Amino acid sequence: NAGVMQNPRHLVRRRGQEARLRCSPMKGHSHVYWYRQLPEEGLKFMVYLQKENIIDESGMPKERFSAEFPKEGPSILRIQQVVRGDSAAYFCASSPRQGHEQFFGPGTRLTVL
Amino acid sequence: AQKITQTQPGMFVQEKEAVTLDCTYDTSDQSYGLFWYKQPSSGEMIFLIYQGSYDEQNATEGRYSLNFQKARKSANLVISASQLGDSAMYFCAMRELTGGGNKLTFGTGTQLKVEL
């Protein structure tokens, strides 16, 4: 049973470009969480999704950031018009149901030049 | 207000010794869970141990144990018989279970270095 998969593992973008981060949850998991880790800091919650629904987006920046988890395929975290301050590690986690333990992926390290 | 506080930015321990990493938390929920994760230099987040607020016994997982003192709102991680491979960043996290308990709140971490 493969763990949570994230790709790409490393992503470099220039200011103003778009970044798309993908997360495939563990088999049988329908709940996905995105966290951001700025350099030298702990992880901060961004958004919680269930298939086709955003359940909690209280940690998402108001502009430029969006997330989806379609019926088929991976969850996508999309950052439009990236700025240097978006440089961070973005972690995805999944769980089989609400309130259950979350299993983390290896993260995507985004660098904005 | 910070919900998870880790006051030790860095710790050193000698190989084979025990080490305690501190974590205090703040919540008004009666039902919550506490977690410790290890993040080695490769960057992945590795789950170590979990303690539920209603668990009467302190959690243990191999060389890891959680010293849970509910009245003091502390959940310190104890690593026994430290190994060189334990050198990593360690994060304490909490999930408040009221309302579904969907998100983890993390502390700022403690960088542990195990020395020969």
Side-chain angles (χ1 to χ4, degrees), chain A residues 46-68:
Chain A
M46 298 181 76
V47 62
Y48 160 47
L49 309 104
Q50 218 181 332
K51 280 287 186 181
E52 300 185 273
N53 290 306
I54 295 174
I55 309 299
D56 180 355
E57 56 181 347
S58 57
M60 285 282 267
K62 294 282 184 276
E63 296 175 349
R64 303 187 296 107
F65 284 72
S66 62
E68 62 177 12

Tab-separated table of all heavy atoms in Angstrom, chain A residues 46-68:
chain	number	residue	atom	x	y	z
A	46	MET	N	-3.413	24.728	5.942
A	46	MET	CA	-3.963	25.600	4.905
A	46	MET	C	-5.416	25.246	4.602
A	46	MET	O	-6.302	26.082	4.722
A	46	MET	CB	-3.135	25.465	3.623
A	46	MET	CG	-1.693	25.883	3.769
A	46	MET	SD	-0.794	25.719	2.226
A	46	MET	CE	-1.394	27.154	1.339
A	47	VAL	N	-5.652	23.976	4.215
A	47	VAL	CA	-6.984	23.619	3.737
A	47	VAL	C	-7.218	22.134	3.943
A	47	VAL	O	-6.284	21.334	3.933
A	47	VAL	CB	-7.126	24.004	2.241
A	47	VAL	CG1	-6.136	23.237	1.371
A	47	VAL	CG2	-8.538	23.823	1.719
A	48	TYR	N	-8.508	21.811	4.123
A	48	TYR	CA	-8.937	20.416	4.291
A	48	TYR	C	-10.018	20.138	3.255
A	48	TYR	O	-10.989	20.892	3.142
A	48	TYR	CB	-9.438	20.212	5.706
A	48	TYR	CG	-10.337	19.004	5.951
A	48	TYR	CD1	-10.004	17.748	5.466
A	48	TYR	CD2	-11.498	19.142	6.702
A	48	TYR	CE1	-10.823	16.656	5.712
A	48	TYR	CE2	-12.321	18.055	6.954
A	48	TYR	CZ	-11.977	16.812	6.454
A	48	TYR	OH	-12.777	15.734	6.706
A	49	LEU	N	-9.828	19.070	2.490
A	49	LEU	CA	-10.771	18.737	1.435
A	49	LEU	C	-11.210	17.282	1.549
A	49	LEU	O	-10.445	16.420	1.975
A	49	LEU	CB	-10.126	18.911	0.044
A	49	LEU	CG	-9.432	20.216	-0.255
A	49	LEU	CD1	-7.922	20.046	-0.204
A	49	LEU	CD2	-9.811	20.739	-1.622
A	50	GLN	N	-12.443	17.082	1.158
A	50	GLN	CA	-12.931	15.738	0.927
A	50	GLN	C	-13.264	15.694	-0.559
A	50	GLN	O	-13.392	16.738	-1.190
A	50	GLN	CB	-14.167	15.495	1.779
A	50	GLN	CG	-14.269	14.114	2.351
A	50	GLN	CD	-15.525	13.925	3.168
A	50	GLN	OE1	-16.051	14.866	3.733
A	50	GLN	NE2	-16.013	12.707	3.230
A	51	LYS	N	-13.464	14.505	-1.082
A	51	LYS	CA	-13.693	14.388	-2.540
A	51	LYS	C	-14.714	15.438	-3.015
A	51	LYS	O	-15.855	15.469	-2.560
A	51	LYS	CB	-14.227	12.998	-2.865
A	51	LYS	CG	-13.153	11.936	-2.920
A	51	LYS	CD	-12.291	12.059	-4.146
A	51	LYS	CE	-11.306	10.889	-4.252
A	51	LYS	NZ	-10.446	11.015	-5.426
A	52	GLU	N	-14.267	16.297	-3.904
A	52	GLU	CA	-15.074	17.323	-4.571
A	52	GLU	C	-15.553	18.440	-3.646
A	52	GLU	O	-16.308	19.307	-4.087
A	52	GLU	CB	-16.284	16.691	-5.274
A	52	GLU	CG	-15.908	15.674	-6.345
A	52	GLU	CD	-17.105	15.157	-7.099
A	52	GLU	OE1	-17.725	14.177	-6.627
A	52	GLU	OE2	-17.428	15.727	-8.161
A	53	ASN	N	-15.146	18.432	-2.395
A	53	ASN	CA	-15.604	19.473	-1.469
A	53	ASN	C	-14.459	20.079	-0.673
A	53	ASN	O	-13.558	19.360	-0.234
A	53	ASN	CB	-16.608	18.897	-0.467
A	53	ASN	CG	-17.917	18.538	-1.116
A	53	ASN	OD1	-18.538	19.369	-1.770
A	53	ASN	ND2	-18.333	17.300	-0.960
A	54	ILE	N	-14.507	21.387	-0.489
A	54	ILE	CA	-13.604	22.055	0.447
A	54	ILE	C	-14.342	22.135	1.776
A	54	ILE	O	-15.426	22.718	1.864
A	54	ILE	CB	-13.231	23.468	-0.039
A	54	ILE	CG1	-12.435	23.376	-1.335
A	54	ILE	CG2	-12.423	24.197	1.035
A	54	ILE	CD1	-12.140	24.721	-1.970
A	55	ILE	N	-13.758	21.526	2.814
A	55	ILE	CA	-14.424	21.466	4.106
A	55	ILE	C	-13.981	22.623	5.010
A	55	ILE	O	-14.778	23.221	5.723
A	55	ILE	CB	-14.146	20.137	4.827
A	55	ILE	CG1	-14.444	18.938	3.908
A	55	ILE	CG2	-14.928	20.036	6.129
A	55	ILE	CD1	-15.886	18.858	3.437
A	56	ASP	N	-12.687	22.923	4.979
A	56	ASP	CA	-12.148	23.963	5.859
A	56	ASP	C	-10.996	24.622	5.134
A	56	ASP	O	-9.999	23.963	4.859
A	56	ASP	CB	-11.688	23.329	7.190
A	56	ASP	CG	-11.101	24.339	8.176
A	56	ASP	OD1	-10.948	25.527	7.832
A	56	ASP	OD2	-10.782	23.931	9.309
A	57	GLU	N	-11.138	25.892	4.801
A	57	GLU	CA	-10.044	26.608	4.120
A	57	GLU	C	-9.586	27.794	4.965
A	57	GLU	O	-9.118	28.796	4.432
A	57	GLU	CB	-10.464	27.048	2.720
A	57	GLU	CG	-11.717	27.890	2.675
A	57	GLU	CD	-12.106	28.272	1.248
A	57	GLU	OE1	-11.288	28.098	0.324
A	57	GLU	OE2	-13.242	28.763	1.075
A	58	SER	N	-9.714	27.653	6.267
A	58	SER	CA	-9.418	28.767	7.168
A	58	SER	C	-7.949	29.189	7.145
A	58	SER	O	-7.616	30.299	7.541
A	58	SER	CB	-9.827	28.416	8.606
A	58	SER	OG	-9.174	27.240	9.029
A	59	GLY	N	-7.069	28.326	6.676
A	59	GLY	CA	-5.646	28.663	6.639
A	59	GLY	C	-5.150	29.108	5.275
A	59	GLY	O	-3.953	29.387	5.108
A	60	MET	N	-6.033	29.195	4.328
A	60	MET	CA	-5.618	29.575	2.969
A	60	MET	C	-5.514	31.093	2.846
A	60	MET	O	-6.409	31.814	3.271
A	60	MET	CB	-6.651	29.075	1.945
A	60	MET	CG	-6.582	27.604	1.688
A	60	MET	SD	-5.232	27.149	0.603
A	60	MET	CE	-6.105	27.169	-0.962
A	61	PRO	N	-4.436	31.580	2.238
A	61	PRO	CA	-4.394	33.013	1.928
A	61	PRO	C	-5.591	33.387	1.054
A	61	PRO	O	-6.078	32.577	0.256
A	61	PRO	CB	-3.077	33.155	1.160
A	61	PRO	CG	-2.238	32.005	1.614
A	61	PRO	CD	-3.196	30.883	1.855
A	62	LYS	N	-6.052	34.601	1.196
A	62	LYS	CA	-7.313	35.014	0.538
A	62	LYS	C	-7.158	35.105	-0.969
A	62	LYS	O	-8.124	34.911	-1.711
A	62	LYS	CB	-7.765	36.364	1.093
A	62	LYS	CG	-8.164	36.328	2.559
A	62	LYS	CD	-9.536	35.735	2.745
A	62	LYS	CE	-10.010	35.779	4.178
A	62	LYS	NZ	-9.521	34.656	4.973
A	63	GLU	N	-5.969	35.408	-1.422
A	63	GLU	CA	-5.774	35.603	-2.860
A	63	GLU	C	-4.701	34.653	-3.377
A	63	GLU	O	-3.819	34.225	-2.654
A	63	GLU	CB	-5.349	37.058	-3.135
A	63	GLU	CG	-6.415	38.060	-2.751
A	63	GLU	CD	-5.943	39.501	-2.903
A	63	GLU	OE1	-4.736	39.719	-3.099
A	63	GLU	OE2	-6.801	40.395	-2.814
A	64	ARG	N	-4.806	34.326	-4.624
A	64	ARG	CA	-3.814	33.591	-5.421
A	64	ARG	C	-3.760	32.099	-5.112
A	64	ARG	O	-3.215	31.350	-5.899
A	64	ARG	CB	-2.392	34.192	-5.274
A	64	ARG	CG	-2.284	35.652	-5.636
A	64	ARG	CD	-0.826	36.123	-5.629
A	64	ARG	NE	-0.224	36.038	-4.304
A	64	ARG	CZ	0.675	35.133	-3.935
A	64	ARG	NH1	1.102	34.208	-4.796
A	64	ARG	NH2	1.169	35.142	-2.709
A	65	PHE	N	-4.277	31.649	-4.000
A	65	PHE	CA	-4.200	30.236	-3.622
A	65	PHE	C	-5.571	29.583	-3.806
A	65	PHE	O	-6.592	30.151	-3.421
A	65	PHE	CB	-3.778	30.087	-2.153
A	65	PHE	CG	-2.327	30.329	-1.895
A	65	PHE	CD1	-1.806	31.607	-1.961
A	65	PHE	CD2	-1.478	29.274	-1.577
A	65	PHE	CE1	-0.463	31.843	-1.717
A	65	PHE	CE2	-0.126	29.498	-1.335
A	65	PHE	CZ	0.374	30.778	-1.399
A	66	SER	N	-5.559	28.376	-4.368
A	66	SER	CA	-6.790	27.608	-4.471
A	66	SER	C	-6.438	26.127	-4.373
A	66	SER	O	-5.304	25.723	-4.628
A	66	SER	CB	-7.531	27.906	-5.774
A	66	SER	OG	-6.738	27.542	-6.892
A	67	ALA	N	-7.429	25.332	-4.004
A	67	ALA	CA	-7.211	23.885	-3.880
A	67	ALA	C	-8.442	23.160	-4.367
A	67	ALA	O	-9.559	23.668	-4.269
A	67	ALA	CB	-6.911	23.508	-2.424
A	68	GLU	N	-8.207	21.965	-4.888
A	68	GLU	CA	-9.321	21.129	-5.321
A	68	GLU	C	-8.958	19.669	-5.100
A	68	GLU	O	-7.786	19.296	-5.036
A	68	GLU	CB	-9.656	21.373	-6.792
A	68	GLU	CG	-8.534	21.046	-7.752
A	68	GLU	CD	-8.942	21.225	-9.204
A	68	GLU	OE1	-10.004	21.810	-9.478
A	68	GLU	OE2	-8.183	20.759	-10.079
